[in-house]
Amino acid sequence: MAQSLNSLEALYQAFDGMSVEGGWHRRTPALWPEPRKNFVPFRWRYADVKPILDAAGRLVDHAMADRRNLTMTNPVQGNLYATVRTMVAAYQLIKPGETADAHRHTPNALRIILEGRGTFTVVNGVRVEMRPGDVLLTPSWAWHSHSSNGTDDCYWVDVLDVPMVHLMEGMFFERHPDKLESRVADADSSPIAFRWEDSVGRLEKAATPANGMAEREIQLGDPALRTVALHVQRFGADFKSELFRTTANSLFTVIRGSGRTWVDGEAIEWSMGDVIAIPAWRAYRHEVDTESFMVRASDEPVMRAIGMLREEVLPAQPEAQRRDASGVVL
Ligand SMILES: [Fe+2]
């Protein structure tokens, strides 16, 4: 065989049958100078999604309550699921009297409650009420279920690290053999529940973050989950942040207020309940109209653990200067 490999063409033909590729002959490069712009910045508007979720509440069977959610699929070509590379977000609705059966999975999950009272989550046998502004954690492999005994429809934003688990091939999932955990104790405070009033109280005394991306900022947990960090940010009316980029992928959920986030020279308008995806290494800044609160979920703990967290505050630039000569957004 070696004798017949006397031309590059013959060499490349030989590659095909052996699942090898020459490092000088790659069809796509393996290394590049800085993070590529794969996933795109995007905003999901709660006001647009809510009627669809309500319709799903009427049309999709109650037994599917744990899956009756709307996944925020990043609109980059070829993507079918993830919101940013490592995380997925979804809007979920639980109606009065409904129960989502207990299950557990290796992906970490959290919920950011938008509206409605009278809904409870049970995590490893501890039942806590979920109220607007609260953030509830479901760590990897913890049993969890939800139920509503109130009169409100309850809406929340789920964030999970499922796309990262897919990448790392670590997925395990199972349903509880008895549908629900049999021993359940009620608790108002729990390490898995961050109450809105506590966050507001802590923000009163919190410092301005060093990167200038909020007026005040606190972290929930340290970090909240092994793969996901949570920060609650407060912005006074007319607040303007620095221009910043980080290798961490971020998902912002607007708890209250309105404004816009500039990314790559484009303004993304937002208001209560909206979710904004800011993929890694996109320079962004916030411009707030009314006093606002956002919860930022990011993969910072993962990036930090593997030595790949890079962050920088950039010099402020007029938006027009961030386009090249042909008008392409840089
Ligand atoms: Fe789950």
Side-chain angles (χ1 to χ4, degrees):
M1 173 138 179
Q3 276 150 350
S4 64
L5 296 177
N6 53 12
S7 71
L8 277 175
E9 192 186 349
L11 189 69
Y12 296 151
Q13 278 178 10
F15 285 174
D16 288 344
M18 286 190 270
S19 288
V20 293
E21 180 63 295
W24 71 92
H25 182 246
R26 290 192 202 290
R27 278 156 256 218
T28 58
L31 307 172
W32 43 87
E34 61 177 24
R36 286 178 157 185
K37 295 183 173 180
N38 290 318
F39 284 73
V40 296
F42 199 75
R43 177 222 51 218
W44 289 264
R45 194 184 277 284
Y46 181 50
D48 293 342
V49 171
K50 201 173 163 184
I52 300 172
L53 205 49
D54 287 334
R58 294 189 299 273
L59 299 168
V60 179
D61 191 74
H62 166 117
M64 306 275 271
D66 61 336
R67 279 166 288 168
R68 197 211 285 126
N69 57 33
L70 290 173
T71 304
M72 296 176 229
T73 306
N74 192 284
V76 68
Q77 198 175 16
N79 178 50
L80 297 174
Y81 179 67
T83 313
V84 288
R85 175 67 77 192
T86 50
M87 296 181 288
V88 66
Y91 285 108
Q92 180 145 4
L93 162 66
I94 291 279
K95 296 175 75 65
E98 288 184 342
T99 297
D101 290 343
H103 60 273
R104 62 181 176 178
H105 37 67
T106 44
N108 291 277
L110 63 100
R111 271 158 263 298
I112 303 164
I113 312 304
L114 298 178
E115 291 186 272
R117 295 180 72 110
T119 301
F120 294 79
T121 188
V122 180
V123 177
N124 280 342
V126 178
R127 179 166 53 200
V128 293
E129 191 184 4
M130 306 194 281
R131 301 186 283 257
D134 290 353
V135 180
L136 289 303
L137 308 179
T138 306
S140 176
W141 212 234
W143 289 114
H144 55 284
S145 63
H146 322 297
S147 62
S148 166
N149 59 11
T151 54
D152 293 352
D153 288 341
C154 185
Y155 300 84
W156 68 75
V157 171
D158 277 324
V159 177
L160 297 94
D161 60 10
V162 171
M164 196 192 69
V165 177
H166 285 169
L167 180 72
M168 301 179 86
E169 305 287 6
M171 180 65 72
F172 290 88
F173 166 84
E174 67 183 14
R175 296 197 170 276
H176 196 284
D178 306 324
K179 284 205 165 191
L180 291 171
E181 292 181 82
S182 51
R183 288 166 168 246
V184 172
D186 286 307
D188 195 55
S189 71
S190 158
I192 62 105
F194 297 97
R195 298 301 187 190
W196 177 242
E197 56 272 23
D198 295 340
S199 293
V200 170
R202 286 180 60 202
L203 280 164
E204 283 294 322
K205 292 170 245 155
T208 302
N211 62 12
M213 293 308 288
E215 187 187 26
R216 292 167 192 248
E217 180 182 83
I218 58 165
Q219 186 174 192
L220 305 181
D222 188 23
L225 294 162
R226 293 182 74 175
T227 54
V228 182
L230 288 166
H231 292 86
V232 185
Q233 301 176 321
R234 192 179 101 180
F235 312 84
D238 301 321
F239 176 86
K240 289 182 172 55
S241 79
E242 299 285 346
L243 180 67
F244 175 72
R245 64 181 173 182
T246 168
T247 50
N249 295 280
S250 302
L251 295 172
F252 291 89
T253 300
V254 183
I255 303 296
R256 188 188 302 169
S258 61
R260 68 205 53 74
T261 298
W262 289 89
V263 198
D264 292 342
E266 306 284 335
I268 296 178
E269 301 286 334
W270 46 257
S271 57
M272 184 265 164
D274 293 356
V275 173
I276 305 120
I278 306 290
W281 215 235
R282 299 279 190 155
Y284 70 97
R285 63 183 181 84
H286 303 302
E287 216 175 70
V288 168
D289 296 335
T290 58
E291 183 186 54
S292 300
F293 294 85
M294 295 207 274
V295 177
R296 174 181 171 239
S298 75
D299 58 13
E300 255 178 39
V302 179
M303 300 308 264
R304 183 174 284 117
I306 59 177
M308 289 190 190
L309 184 65
R310 289 197 194 193
E311 305 173 303
E312 62 182 8
V313 176
L314 299 162
Q317 291 176 354
E319 299 305 323
Q321 288 180 14
R322 288 164 50 208
R323 295 171 183 267
D324 70 11
S326 63
V328 173
V329 175
L330 296 172

PDB file of all heavy atoms in Angstrom, residues 151-164:
ATOM      1  N   THR A 151     -54.939  29.596  43.438  1.00  0.00           N
ATOM      2  CA  THR A 151     -55.918  29.941  42.404  1.00  0.00           C
ATOM      3  C   THR A 151     -55.255  30.660  41.225  1.00  0.00           C
ATOM      4  O   THR A 151     -55.923  31.023  40.261  1.00  0.00           O
ATOM      5  CB  THR A 151     -56.997  30.874  42.993  1.00  0.00           C
ATOM      6  OG1 THR A 151     -56.332  31.995  43.600  1.00  0.00           O
ATOM      7  CG2 THR A 151     -57.832  30.162  44.041  1.00  0.00           C
ATOM      8  N   ASP A 152     -53.941  30.862  41.314  1.00  0.00           N
ATOM      9  CA  ASP A 152     -53.240  31.606  40.251  1.00  0.00           C
ATOM     10  C   ASP A 152     -52.601  30.653  39.243  1.00  0.00           C
ATOM     11  O   ASP A 152     -52.129  29.575  39.615  1.00  0.00           O
ATOM     12  CB  ASP A 152     -52.070  32.419  40.836  1.00  0.00           C
ATOM     13  CG  ASP A 152     -52.514  33.549  41.742  1.00  0.00           C
ATOM     14  OD1 ASP A 152     -53.733  33.821  41.803  1.00  0.00           O
ATOM     15  OD2 ASP A 152     -51.637  34.155  42.377  1.00  0.00           O
ATOM     16  N   ASP A 153     -52.537  31.098  37.991  1.00  0.00           N
ATOM     17  CA  ASP A 153     -51.607  30.480  37.058  1.00  0.00           C
ATOM     18  C   ASP A 153     -50.215  30.938  37.495  1.00  0.00           C
ATOM     19  O   ASP A 153     -50.031  32.111  37.840  1.00  0.00           O
ATOM     20  CB  ASP A 153     -51.869  30.977  35.632  1.00  0.00           C
ATOM     21  CG  ASP A 153     -53.160  30.403  35.049  1.00  0.00           C
ATOM     22  OD1 ASP A 153     -53.644  29.373  35.573  1.00  0.00           O
ATOM     23  OD2 ASP A 153     -53.677  30.995  34.087  1.00  0.00           O
ATOM     24  N   CYS A 154     -49.255  30.031  37.504  1.00  0.00           N
ATOM     25  CA  CYS A 154     -47.905  30.383  37.948  1.00  0.00           C
ATOM     26  C   CYS A 154     -46.947  30.247  36.766  1.00  0.00           C
ATOM     27  O   CYS A 154     -46.911  29.216  36.099  1.00  0.00           O
ATOM     28  CB  CYS A 154     -47.476  29.477  39.101  1.00  0.00           C
ATOM     29  SG  CYS A 154     -45.880  29.933  39.798  1.00  0.00           S
ATOM     30  N   TYR A 155     -46.223  31.331  36.507  1.00  0.00           N
ATOM     31  CA  TYR A 155     -45.303  31.375  35.370  1.00  0.00           C
ATOM     32  C   TYR A 155     -43.886  31.530  35.903  1.00  0.00           C
ATOM     33  O   TYR A 155     -43.648  32.318  36.818  1.00  0.00           O
ATOM     34  CB  TYR A 155     -45.606  32.585  34.477  1.00  0.00           C
ATOM     35  CG  TYR A 155     -46.995  32.592  33.891  1.00  0.00           C
ATOM     36  CD1 TYR A 155     -48.076  33.092  34.618  1.00  0.00           C
ATOM     37  CD2 TYR A 155     -47.222  32.112  32.602  1.00  0.00           C
ATOM     38  CE1 TYR A 155     -49.351  33.110  34.074  1.00  0.00           C
ATOM     39  CE2 TYR A 155     -48.490  32.124  32.052  1.00  0.00           C
ATOM     40  CZ  TYR A 155     -49.560  32.627  32.793  1.00  0.00           C
ATOM     41  OH  TYR A 155     -50.809  32.639  32.251  1.00  0.00           O
ATOM     42  N   TRP A 156     -42.986  30.787  35.312  1.00  0.00           N
ATOM     43  CA  TRP A 156     -41.595  30.980  35.693  1.00  0.00           C
ATOM     44  C   TRP A 156     -40.662  30.720  34.519  1.00  0.00           C
ATOM     45  O   TRP A 156     -41.072  30.224  33.475  1.00  0.00           O
ATOM     46  CB  TRP A 156     -41.217  30.137  36.895  1.00  0.00           C
ATOM     47  CG  TRP A 156     -41.161  28.647  36.736  1.00  0.00           C
ATOM     48  CD1 TRP A 156     -40.180  27.932  36.103  1.00  0.00           C
ATOM     49  CD2 TRP A 156     -42.087  27.686  37.254  1.00  0.00           C
ATOM     50  NE1 TRP A 156     -40.444  26.598  36.206  1.00  0.00           N
ATOM     51  CE2 TRP A 156     -41.591  26.403  36.908  1.00  0.00           C
ATOM     52  CE3 TRP A 156     -43.268  27.775  37.985  1.00  0.00           C
ATOM     53  CZ2 TRP A 156     -42.257  25.227  37.250  1.00  0.00           C
ATOM     54  CZ3 TRP A 156     -43.920  26.610  38.331  1.00  0.00           C
ATOM     55  CH2 TRP A 156     -43.424  25.353  37.970  1.00  0.00           C
ATOM     56  N   VAL A 157     -39.392  31.079  34.717  1.00  0.00           N
ATOM     57  CA  VAL A 157     -38.337  30.808  33.738  1.00  0.00           C
ATOM     58  C   VAL A 157     -37.462  29.700  34.319  1.00  0.00           C
ATOM     59  O   VAL A 157     -36.976  29.819  35.445  1.00  0.00           O
ATOM     60  CB  VAL A 157     -37.485  32.072  33.469  1.00  0.00           C
ATOM     61  CG1 VAL A 157     -36.253  31.734  32.622  1.00  0.00           C
ATOM     62  CG2 VAL A 157     -38.331  33.147  32.787  1.00  0.00           C
ATOM     63  N   ASP A 158     -37.322  28.622  33.570  1.00  0.00           N
ATOM     64  CA  ASP A 158     -36.398  27.537  33.925  1.00  0.00           C
ATOM     65  C   ASP A 158     -35.061  27.793  33.244  1.00  0.00           C
ATOM     66  O   ASP A 158     -35.038  28.192  32.076  1.00  0.00           O
ATOM     67  CB  ASP A 158     -36.889  26.208  33.317  1.00  0.00           C
ATOM     68  CG  ASP A 158     -37.943  25.508  34.132  1.00  0.00           C
ATOM     69  OD1 ASP A 158     -37.874  25.564  35.353  1.00  0.00           O
ATOM     70  OD2 ASP A 158     -38.820  24.880  33.504  1.00  0.00           O
ATOM     71  N   VAL A 159     -33.977  27.536  33.940  1.00  0.00           N
ATOM     72  CA  VAL A 159     -32.648  27.534  33.306  1.00  0.00           C
ATOM     73  C   VAL A 159     -31.979  26.218  33.689  1.00  0.00           C
ATOM     74  O   VAL A 159     -31.978  25.845  34.871  1.00  0.00           O
ATOM     75  CB  VAL A 159     -31.784  28.726  33.770  1.00  0.00           C
ATOM     76  CG1 VAL A 159     -30.381  28.650  33.162  1.00  0.00           C
ATOM     77  CG2 VAL A 159     -32.454  30.058  33.404  1.00  0.00           C
ATOM     78  N   LEU A 160     -31.461  25.510  32.714  1.00  0.00           N
ATOM     79  CA  LEU A 160     -30.774  24.233  32.964  1.00  0.00           C
ATOM     80  C   LEU A 160     -29.455  24.200  32.192  1.00  0.00           C
ATOM     81  O   LEU A 160     -29.321  24.863  31.155  1.00  0.00           O
ATOM     82  CB  LEU A 160     -31.630  23.048  32.509  1.00  0.00           C
ATOM     83  CG  LEU A 160     -32.977  22.829  33.197  1.00  0.00           C
ATOM     84  CD1 LEU A 160     -34.096  23.492  32.423  1.00  0.00           C
ATOM     85  CD2 LEU A 160     -33.276  21.344  33.346  1.00  0.00           C
ATOM     86  N   ASP A 161     -28.531  23.358  32.677  1.00  0.00           N
ATOM     87  CA  ASP A 161     -27.256  23.203  31.971  1.00  0.00           C
ATOM     88  C   ASP A 161     -27.277  22.010  31.008  1.00  0.00           C
ATOM     89  O   ASP A 161     -26.223  21.441  30.699  1.00  0.00           O
ATOM     90  CB  ASP A 161     -26.101  23.070  32.983  1.00  0.00           C
ATOM     91  CG  ASP A 161     -26.255  21.870  33.907  1.00  0.00           C
ATOM     92  OD1 ASP A 161     -27.145  21.025  33.667  1.00  0.00           O
ATOM     93  OD2 ASP A 161     -25.481  21.766  34.876  1.00  0.00           O
ATOM     94  N   VAL A 162     -28.452  21.646  30.527  1.00  0.00           N
ATOM     95  CA  VAL A 162     -28.594  20.457  29.669  1.00  0.00           C
ATOM     96  C   VAL A 162     -27.667  20.479  28.449  1.00  0.00           C
ATOM     97  O   VAL A 162     -27.033  19.454  28.151  1.00  0.00           O
ATOM     98  CB  VAL A 162     -30.069  20.276  29.229  1.00  0.00           C
ATOM     99  CG1 VAL A 162     -30.188  19.191  28.171  1.00  0.00           C
ATOM    100  CG2 VAL A 162     -30.938  19.932  30.421  1.00  0.00           C
ATOM    101  N   PRO A 163     -27.528  21.598  27.720  1.00  0.00           N
ATOM    102  CA  PRO A 163     -26.643  21.539  26.545  1.00  0.00           C
ATOM    103  C   PRO A 163     -25.203  21.167  26.908  1.00  0.00           C
ATOM    104  O   PRO A 163     -24.530  20.475  26.143  1.00  0.00           O
ATOM    105  CB  PRO A 163     -26.726  22.960  25.965  1.00  0.00           C
ATOM    106  CG  PRO A 163     -28.057  23.475  26.437  1.00  0.00           C
ATOM    107  CD  PRO A 163     -28.236  22.892  27.806  1.00  0.00           C
ATOM    108  N   MET A 164     -24.751  21.590  28.084  1.00  0.00           N
ATOM    109  CA  MET A 164     -23.404  21.221  28.510  1.00  0.00           C
ATOM    110  C   MET A 164     -23.335  19.732  28.848  1.00  0.00           C
ATOM    111  O   MET A 164     -22.369  19.047  28.516  1.00  0.00           O
ATOM    112  CB  MET A 164     -22.984  22.056  29.713  1.00  0.00           C
ATOM    113  CG  MET A 164     -21.501  22.013  29.949  1.00  0.00           C
ATOM    114  SD  MET A 164     -21.087  22.712  31.533  1.00  0.00           S
ATOM    115  CE  MET A 164     -21.761  21.472  32.606  1.00  0.00           C
TER     116      MET A 164
END
